[in-house]
Amino acid sequence: MGDHHDHSKTFQPDHPEPTSDDALLGLALRELLIDGGYFTAAEEQAVIEKMQGASPENGGHIVARAWKDPEFKARLLDHGSEAIKELGFDLSPTEFTVLENSRSIHNVVVCTLCSCYPRALLGMSPAWYKSKNYRARVVREPRQVLAEFGVELSSEVEVRVHDSTAELRYMVLPQRPAGTEGWTEQQLAALVTRDSLIGTQRTLTTG
Amino acid sequence: MTLPLYRPGQRVRIADRTPATHHRVPAYAKGQTAVVERVCGEHGQPENFIRGNGEPLTRLYRVRLLQRELWPDYRGSHLDKLDLEVFEHWLEPAHG
C-alpha cells in the first residue's frame, strides 16, 4: 500500500475515503486527538451512534407529554434542559429552550451564523435549514419565508424569530390540534412533524 | 458567581464592534437596542475558545428586538420580534 495510511482504527469503515483537502485535514485532526488520548475511537463511535439514533420522534414525545400534562409543560417552558431529563433526554451542557406557539404567537427558529440545531435530540437538520437563503431571509422577511412553506399568518399573529447565536438550542411547541381530546400520548406524538418543531409548519393535521 | 448586570425587561444596547477573533454576534444586531428577555446561565466566551474552555465564564442573555426597529423596510406586523443570545460583555445599558 506504499505510504497509504491505515485509517481502520479511527475511520468509520462504511464511509468512503475522503478526497478533499478539508476532509483529509479533519481526518488527520481526529487521528491526532485519538493518538493523543483526548478520546478513544470507541467513545467517538458511541457519540455518532447516539446522534444517529436521534430523530424528530423524540420531539414529538416531548410535545405530546406537554399537551397532556400542564405541569410538565410549565417546567418545560421554564427550563427545558431539566424538564426533558424526566423523559430520559440529556442535552447538557446545551441550554435546551422550548418556545410555545399560541393563537397569537408563532415561533420560528434559525441559526444565521452557522446551522445550530438540537441535533442530539432531533437528528440531522433539513438541508434548507442550513441554506444561506433560509438563514439570511427568515430573520428579515419571516412572513414571506413562512408563506413559502405554506404558513400564512394574519397581522394579528406575532411572529417571533429565534436566532441560535450561542449556547441555546430551540424547539417549537406547536399547538395541539382540535379534535384530539382523549387521545393517548402515543397517538398525539405521531402528529408532530419535524417542520412544526422548527416553526416552518404551524398547523398539525389529524389525517 | 457574580450577579447579572442586566435584568429581564431592561433595555440594553448590543455593542457595535468587530474583533478579529471568532465571535457570535451577527452583524445585523450590532449597535441595536433590545430588551432582556431572560438570563441564560454562564458559558465560555466564543472569542476565547481558541484557548482552554473560553474562560472567563460569562453570563449569557436572551434579548428581544422589534423587527420594525431592526429593519427599516420591514413589511410584517408591528408586533413581530427577533430574539437572539448575547453575552454580557457585548451589552451596554441603553439610554433613553
Side-chain angles (χ1 to χ4, degrees):
Chain A
M1 298 289 281
D3 61 359
H4 183 86
H5 185 67
D6 177 17
H7 299 304
S8 61
K9 289 196 176 67
T10 52
F11 194 70
Q12 290 196 80
D14 55 341
H15 283 207
E17 285 279 322
T19 50
S20 76
D21 287 350
D22 288 345
L24 283 166
L25 198 61
L27 190 59
L29 178 63
R30 185 159 60 199
E31 290 183 359
L32 282 171
L33 290 167
I34 290 171
D35 285 346
Y38 290 92
F39 55 83
T40 67
E43 284 167 345
E44 180 196 44
Q45 188 60 32
V47 171
I48 291 169
E49 281 170 15
K50 193 178 164 196
M51 292 263 184
Q52 285 173 338
S55 87
E57 286 176 24
N58 292 334
H61 186 43
I62 294 167
V63 166
R65 174 65 60 89
W67 285 342
K68 293 282 274 189
D69 180 349
E71 289 177 9
F72 172 77
K73 186 172 106 173
R75 292 194 294 278
L76 184 69
L77 296 173
D78 184 53
H79 198 175
S81 305
E82 284 303 309
I84 60 171
K85 285 181 186 169
E86 297 173 33
L87 302 181
F89 301 113
D90 188 356
L91 297 193
S92 56
T94 301
E95 304 248 359
F96 180 65
T97 305
V98 178
L99 314 159
E100 184 183 22
N101 278 356
S102 67
R103 290 175 69 139
S104 57
I105 294 172
H106 182 80
N107 294 284
V108 61
V109 181
V110 63
C111 172
T112 58
L113 295 176
C114 47
S115 55
C116 295
Y117 187 78
R119 198 170 55 185
L121 182 74
L122 303 181
M124 296 295 281
S125 60
W128 54 258
Y129 185 84
K130 293 171 265 201
S131 72
K132 284 183 181 163
N133 186 309
Y134 177 77
R135 287 159 51 208
R137 291 180 57 225
V138 79
V139 284
R140 64 179 304 153
E141 44 177 31
R143 287 172 183 268
Q144 289 89 325
V145 172
L146 287 170
E148 289 166 22
F149 279 94
V151 180
E152 301 274 358
L153 296 164
S154 83
S155 59
E156 283 94 66
V157 176
E158 174 183 330
V159 175
R160 288 186 188 165
V161 178
H162 301 268
D163 192 355
S164 305
T165 45
E167 306 298 323
L168 277 60
R169 295 294 175 272
Y170 300 96
M171 187 182 89
V172 174
L173 174 59
Q175 287 175 277
R176 180 173 176 166
T180 58
E181 296 76 17
W183 284 36
T184 66
E185 214 169 291
Q186 204 176 1
Q187 287 173 307
L188 290 169
L191 299 177
V192 179
T193 62
R194 180 196 65 197
D195 287 8
S196 72
L197 300 172
I198 301 172
T200 49
Q201 182 185 349
R202 180 163 170 85
T203 308
L204 296 174
T205 52
T206 52
Chain B
M1 211 185 259
T2 57
L3 289 171
L5 283 182
Y6 307 104
R7 59 184 188 282
Q10 189 171 350
R11 286 182 74 78
V12 289
R13 182 178 178 271
I14 301 169
D16 186 1
R17 60 171 186 261
T18 302
T21 50
H22 172 71
H23 58 288
R24 299 284 306 178
V25 181
Y28 71 78
K30 291 177 180 177
Q32 295 289 329
T33 300
V35 173
V36 174
E37 192 270 337
R38 68 167 82 173
V39 185
C40 306
E42 293 186 321
H43 304 271
Q45 292 184 13
E47 296 92 323
N48 295 343
F49 267 111
I50 195 165
R51 296 183 203 89
N53 289 313
E55 290 93 352
L57 295 186
T58 300
R59 191 161 276 104
L60 183 67
Y61 296 83
R62 191 138 71 103
V63 303
R64 182 162 290 171
L65 289 82
L66 276 175
Q67 288 279 42
R68 285 217 174 155
E69 289 182 8
L70 180 57
W71 313 107
D73 58 348
Y74 189 71
R75 286 193 289 153
S77 165
H78 67 282
L79 298 169
D80 294 354
K81 315 283 193 316
L82 184 140
D83 287 10
L84 74 158
E85 304 143 51
V86 183
F87 281 93
E88 195 164 76
H89 63 294
W90 277 87
L91 296 177
E92 306 159 357
H95 303 288

